[in-house]
Amino acid sequence: MKEFIRNIKGTKDILPEESSIWIYLENYIHQFFAKFGYKKILLPSFENTDLFLRSIGKETDIVSKEMYSWIDQGNNNLTLRPELTASVVRAYIQHQLGKQQKNHKLYYIGSSYRRERPQKGRFRQFKQFGIEAFGSEFPEQDAEIISIAYLLYDSLGIKNLNLRINSIGSRESRLEYIKKLKEYFSKYENELTSTSKQRLIANPLRILDTKVDFEIELVKTAPKIIDYISDDDKQHFEEMMIILDNLNIPYIIDDYLVRGLDYYSRTVFEIQTNSLGSQNALCGGGRYDYLVEELGGNHTPAIGFAAGLERLILAMDNTNHQFICNPDIYIISMGDKALKKSFKIANDLRITKDLIVINDTLKRSLKAQIKDANRLKARYSIIIGEEEINKNIVSIKNMETGNQEELSIDKIIDYF
Ligand code: AMP
């Protein structure tokens, strides 16, 4: 036998036993977002590398070390998208959606690619779903986005949700805070990891995302951004919290939540669940009022979130959902003539009655087909052989009760 080629590390094959939960959840997400008036946008998987450099920011882990980038045969510098917000914003600007109407509410489901170290809940190709709302600067819009994210998980029965929120203020008010943070961490400069030393120069906010124990301790007594943001920013944050309170959405304020991407302003949030281990973030998002401008569009306030489907599926393990669609009918046919007839019967049932019907295409023995029908947990089996065809009848068996009866072939459709 020849040597076979394996999939790439950090990617995953979704085999048939597992694919039903993916189909179920993707359908659920479509329907859920539609209830809030959000419309789907489908985007290319790769973009000009500059799009991500300009939006996500050069100092982020994503851009500095995780992107799959290459120069193509036409000398274009391309990148597999590491997230979808930048692409949504590019499309929003390119197709002048802002001119059509003031408020655009969009959602997406698609793969993202990051060269991270693979572990439970962390892949190099993963599926993200998310929403982006363009046009509204008001706290009501922030509350709508956060509540959609929270209710999605809550409605799926995921327990121990931990919604953390913070405001990182406007770009201007953040400057003063960044100065203070720099002063604070500079006192410990010699003890910081090399990554944090670099961040201290390039973007001290990012040190707050540290996963190193010693630095986590330092963060606990660092200056808080809320003490530096403007009155307008504070009011925006407070009004948003009042709406969340009215909606009974439980949250905690996390003074040091800043999120890893450069483009956020004012509200940022994350939802975690404690059942996932170290990769416990189900989704994250925030307001990005300057991004449309940064990427060449008109000033447009916007807010959104991105969530991982793999992590949602891991969290669903702890719920009681059933996703497998068992067949309604298994047609057991004996002989070529019966198999041909069973194809016709099966199609009629599928089209007119919307049922899941299985034909055996291995021409197996009666016993083997019955065994297969049991294995697949079919609700009914229809048995059809030469003799039945001559008499224009079939045997129908209810696999749960064991009851069996004979029926004229012309009456099968009406029977179901
Ligand atoms: P981010 O864009 O990093 O804020 O990620 C948003 C969400 O996408 C996270 O909360 C995760 O659920 C998911 N996610 C991010 N990176 C990965 C990854 N490497 N593997 C699986 N899911 C991921």
Side-chain angles (χ1 to χ4, degrees):
M1 271 215 286
K2 289 189 180 161
E3 196 189 335
F4 72 96
I5 300 166
R6 290 184 172 276
N7 66 319
I8 308 291
K9 186 175 163 191
T11 67
K12 195 171 172 339
D13 301 319
I14 312 293
L15 299 180
E17 310 87 84
E18 216 193 321
S19 64
S20 26
I21 185 167
W22 284 76
I23 296 166
Y24 173 86
L25 285 176
E26 285 190 26
N27 286 336
Y28 189 91
I29 291 163
H30 287 301
Q31 284 164 16
F32 196 83
F33 289 163
K35 284 189 214 174
F36 292 81
Y38 283 70
K39 299 235 165 72
K40 186 167 187 194
I41 181 163
L42 290 105
L43 298 155
S45 306
F46 59 101
E47 300 270 4
N48 279 309
T49 301
D50 271 349
L51 176 65
F52 304 114
L53 299 188
R54 277 170 62 182
S55 56
I56 301 172
K58 292 197 178 98
E59 296 308 325
T60 56
D61 283 351
I62 295 180
V63 169
S64 63
K65 49 189 185 201
E66 294 169 0
M67 293 207 302
Y68 285 99
S69 302
W70 73 100
I71 313 264
D72 80 352
Q73 292 82 341
N75 228 10
N76 303 299
N77 200 336
L78 306 176
T79 293
L80 279 178
R81 62 181 178 211
E83 52 111 57
L84 278 89
T85 300
S87 301
V88 178
V89 173
R90 179 201 48 72
Y92 177 87
I93 298 168
Q94 186 176 333
H95 303 287
Q96 302 190 328
L97 297 188
K99 277 198 180 154
Q100 292 170 13
Q101 70 205 48
K102 196 154 185 294
N103 203 203
H104 271 274
K105 298 183 170 187
L106 307 172
Y107 79 89
Y108 59 79
I109 304 184
S111 291
S112 291
Y113 310 83
R114 295 182 195 172
R115 201 175 188 288
E116 294 191 83
R117 196 168 48 79
Q119 55 173 268
K120 186 183 169 199
R122 192 159 77 188
F123 302 91
R124 290 181 170 177
Q125 176 177 341
F126 53 101
K127 210 151 202 188
Q128 284 192 314
F129 59 94
I131 60 182
E132 316 287 356
F134 293 94
S136 169
E137 63 188 303
F138 299 113
E140 285 76 5
Q141 185 63 75
D142 305 39
E144 179 181 81
I145 294 283
I146 295 178
S147 67
I148 293 174
Y150 184 86
L151 292 175
L152 176 79
Y153 295 112
D154 191 49
S155 66
L156 282 165
I158 293 168
K159 300 269 178 294
N160 302 319
L161 291 173
N162 176 9
L163 164 62
R164 295 180 302 126
I165 60 171
N166 193 20
S167 175
I168 58 169
S170 56
R171 213 166 18 187
E172 298 75 35
S173 59
R174 218 179 315 156
L175 289 177
E176 179 61 17
Y177 175 66
I178 291 173
K179 219 171 101 194
K180 284 279 175 299
L181 209 56
K182 218 174 203 164
E183 281 168 22
Y184 173 80
F185 283 117
S186 296
K187 288 188 279 181
Y188 307 95
E189 193 174 350
N190 293 338
E191 294 149 78
L192 295 179
T193 56
S194 58
T195 316
S196 292
K197 271 187 191 140
Q198 235 173 321
R199 286 174 172 172
L200 189 59
I201 301 161
N203 188 352
L205 270 184
R206 195 119 308 123
I207 304 178
L208 301 178
D209 285 335
T210 182
K211 300 282 177 293
V212 180
D213 286 344
F214 160 73
E215 293 181 346
I216 291 174
E217 285 307 309
L218 284 185
V219 168
K220 284 182 185 162
T221 48
K224 293 174 185 170
I225 198 159
I226 200 85
D227 297 330
Y228 294 87
I229 65 177
S230 69
D231 290 345
D232 278 355
D233 293 336
K234 262 188 211 149
Q235 195 186 341
H236 181 100
F237 193 46
E238 273 155 21
E239 282 178 23
M240 185 199 72
M241 287 190 283
I242 293 170
I243 305 166
L244 291 180
D245 291 338
N246 280 337
L247 292 170
N248 284 329
I249 308 255
Y251 57 85
I252 52 167
I253 301 171
D254 178 343
D255 291 321
Y256 299 109
L257 177 69
V258 290
R259 307 267 310 131
L261 312 182
D262 268 358
Y263 53 60
Y264 289 111
S265 55
R266 289 195 162 171
T267 310
V268 290
F269 70 98
E270 242 173 52
I271 299 179
Q272 302 174 333
T273 171
N274 59 10
S275 57
L276 293 183
S278 67
Q279 300 305 308
N280 60 0
L282 285 170
C283 82
R287 185 165 270 290
Y288 51 91
D289 289 347
Y290 317 109
L291 185 58
V292 180
E293 251 170 297
E294 288 290 331
L295 293 179
N298 296 324
H299 174 76
T300 312
I303 175 163
F305 74 79
L309 201 54
E310 287 81 0
R311 294 204 194 155
L312 170 58
I313 289 170
L314 277 174
M316 295 290 290
D317 276 356
N318 303 319
T319 63
N320 293 324
H321 283 74
Q322 243 271 39
F323 303 102
I324 309 291
C325 291
N326 296 327
D328 297 298
I329 303 163
Y330 190 112
I331 308 190
I332 297 168
S333 43
M334 303 305 301
D336 289 348
K337 234 168 134 184
L339 182 56
K340 283 196 185 77
K341 187 75 191 167
S342 82
F343 267 49
K344 174 81 177 74
I345 297 170
N347 276 353
D348 289 347
L349 285 165
R350 290 175 191 129
I351 308 280
T352 59
K353 297 285 163 162
D354 226 7
L355 296 170
I356 304 175
V357 188
I358 309 291
N359 292 117
D360 171 73
T361 47
L362 289 174
K363 302 190 178 185
R364 285 179 281 195
S365 68
L366 177 68
K367 208 171 139 195
Q369 289 187 56
I370 292 173
K371 205 169 152 196
D372 202 33
N374 281 321
R375 180 183 67 85
L376 292 172
K377 300 197 173 71
R379 284 197 301 130
Y380 287 90
S381 63
I382 295 180
I383 303 168
I384 171 166
E386 292 272 325
E387 206 186 312
E388 279 86 358
I389 292 199
N390 291 338
K391 290 201 218 155
N392 201 38
I393 55 155
V394 292
S395 288
I396 295 190
K397 183 176 178 183
N398 181 324
M399 305 288 280
E400 278 151 32
T401 62
N403 287 346
Q404 191 161 334
E405 55 189 299
E406 283 190 347
L407 193 73
S408 154
I409 289 185
D410 321 318
K411 298 255 163 64
I412 298 176
I413 299 289
D414 291 338
Y415 183 89
F416 288 100

